[in-house]
Amino acid sequence: MRILTDNRCEDIKQEVSFMFEECEISSYPIDCFDIANKLYYVLKPYSSLTPEEYMNALCIDPDGFSRVETNPTTGMNQYVIYYNDYAQYERMRWTIFHEIGHIYLGHHDNPDDSNSATEEAEANFFAKYAIAPPPLIAITHCSDASDIANIFCVSAEASEYSYEYYMKWMKYGPRCYASYERRMLRLFLAA
């Protein structure tokens, strides 16, 4: 059973494209660390935690998680992404994109009004689209999943999913690029 509608997927793709514009991202592999930094999201690797904090983080999620915390210096709320930097680099990047998705899509803004299954599906789709968008796969002339893995720095498993999604996009998608895809291509082709 599909959780996300086609319209919601289109909304998320537009959000990813807008994020690339906002952060002036124009090269690949897409740099999740740079995006988080430009959006003022705090990144905290598991290796920076105390042993007790580390064990708690692993209990919350072995890959990573995000939440709103109060900055002890300013007293202002901030988004913090905790990520397992002991994980494979490609997995770590996926996790950070997933958590950026939660934040960028507003999942932490209304914690009482959440549907975790839908939010997880949205964050997964956000990460999939942000890490290897089909328009960029097209302009890099990826011919298979291993090309995607090498060019976009994703795991073998993620590259298989990205390639499958790309092939569906090529077969069933509109014949012309959407306006947000054209804007994305201008960012990357102008660099």
Side-chain angles (χ1 to χ4, degrees), residues 57 61-62 74 100 105 119 149 163-164 172 177 190:
D61 193 293
T74 65
I100 288 172
L105 297 174
E119 289 179 354
Y163 186 68
E164 180 183 316
Y172 301 111
Y177 286 115

Side-chain angles (χ1 to χ4, degrees), residues 20-86:
F20 288 168
E21 289 175 303
E22 180 182 1
C23 296
E24 300 176 335
I25 302 301
S26 61
S27 63
Y28 39 83
I30 312 296
D31 189 341
C32 59
F33 297 94
D34 187 38
I35 290 172
N37 187 40
K38 287 179 177 177
L39 294 173
Y40 302 100
Y41 302 164
V42 177
L43 291 170
K44 284 195 178 179
Y46 282 11
S47 64
S48 72
L49 305 176
T50 66
E52 183 180 343
E53 291 169 333
Y54 175 68
M55 293 308 294
N56 288 338
L58 288 176
C59 288
I60 293 170
D61 193 293
D63 292 318
F65 59 96
S66 57
R67 62 185 179 200
V68 178
E69 294 182 357
T70 303
N71 181 309
T73 306
T74 65
M76 308 259 319
N77 285 342
Q78 63 187 8
Y79 295 111
V80 181
I81 297 173
Y82 291 86
Y83 66 96
N84 189 344
D85 55 326
Y86 298 114

Side-chain angles (χ1 to χ4, degrees), residues 92-103:
M92 183 175 58
R93 289 182 69 244
W94 175 270
T95 299
I96 293 170
F97 273 118
H98 177 93
E99 297 307 325
I100 288 172
H102 277 305
I103 298 167

Side-chain angles (χ1 to χ4, degrees), residues 84-155:
N84 189 344
D85 55 326
Y86 298 114
Q88 177 188 17
Y89 182 70
E90 293 83 358
R91 180 69 189 169
M92 183 175 58
R93 289 182 69 244
W94 175 270
T95 299
I96 293 170
F97 273 118
H98 177 93
E99 297 307 325
I100 288 172
H102 277 305
I103 298 167
Y104 206 80
L105 297 174
H107 295 165
H108 295 301
D109 297 344
N110 245 342
D112 296 335
D113 186 31
S114 68
N115 177 333
S116 63
T118 300
E119 289 179 354
E120 284 304 304
E122 289 180 352
N124 280 334
F125 187 83
F126 184 99
K128 175 175 73 171
Y129 195 79
I131 209 164
L136 298 186
I137 293 172
I139 66 169
T140 56
H141 306 292
C142 292
S143 60
D144 57 25
S146 65
D147 284 348
I148 294 171
N150 292 329
I151 292 170
F152 293 95
C153 193
V154 297
S155 68

